[in-house]
Amino acid sequence: MRLTWKDAITTVVMAAVVALYVAYTQGSDLLLASSVRWTTVSILVLGMVGGCALGAADQLYTGSRSTFTRIYTVVTTVLGVTALTAAVIGLIAANEVALTVLFAATATLWLLATVRHMLPVTAGPSEPRTIIDHEVIDPEKPVRH
């Protein structure tokens, strides 16, 4: 695959998440980073906009998938559920540990998605071939389909 404009936007969103989290840990008076709850809401909303809304997770759950894609899907699903659970705990209990878990899960999801988009796509046994075998064997021979 390759990086797209969506990856650029999610990187900007992730930079905002990092800035908010750092502002909170430094005791900032900014409204969105002034308390555990406000910071949790901010990171949750930014994560949903930057990750969920711009993502293409539906592609991971449809069609044939390689072993790498299956493992990636499981890992990212667990991280997503962890982030959501941490956000709920952070909102209800105003728990700083939950906020830290939410931040770490969000950052890890962004990193995994970005690295995955930088990896080259290789045709696996379950994916359709793009060229016909005889064209590879004898490229000079005219092909009639």
Side-chain angles (χ1 to χ4, degrees):
M1 298 179 97
R2 62 184 175 84
L3 296 176
T4 66
W5 64 271
K6 290 181 179 182
D7 294 303
I9 292 174
T10 58
T11 300
V12 170
V13 170
M14 191 59 216
V17 167
V18 170
L20 281 170
Y21 184 73
V22 169
Y24 169 76
T25 60
Q26 299 301 314
S28 173
D29 290 334
L30 295 172
L31 175 64
L32 296 179
S34 61
S35 70
V36 173
R37 287 189 175 106
W38 272 109
T39 309
T40 299
V41 167
S42 302
I43 292 175
L44 179 63
V45 169
L46 285 171
M48 289 170 48
V49 169
C52 299
L54 292 175
D58 59 327
Q59 296 172 357
L60 293 174
Y61 295 100
T62 58
S64 58
R65 299 178 296 166
S66 66
T67 303
F68 173 77
T69 304
R70 288 184 185 132
I71 293 170
Y72 177 82
T73 303
V74 168
V75 169
T76 55
T77 301
V78 168
L79 280 170
V81 169
T82 301
L84 183 60
T85 304
V88 169
I89 292 169
L91 288 172
I92 293 171
N95 187 315
E96 288 186 5
V97 174
L99 173 61
T100 302
V101 170
L102 171 63
F103 170 74
T106 303
T108 304
L109 283 166
W110 168 80
L111 181 64
L112 287 173
T114 304
V115 168
R116 180 176 163 264
H117 293 162
M118 290 190 302
L119 295 175
V121 177
T122 57
S126 61
E127 298 177 15
R129 299 182 63 109
T130 56
I131 44 181
I132 301 172
D133 290 340
H134 66 281
E135 291 174 348
V136 174
I137 295 170
D138 190 5
E140 300 298 320
K141 184 177 179 180
V143 179
R144 295 186 185 119
H145 293 276

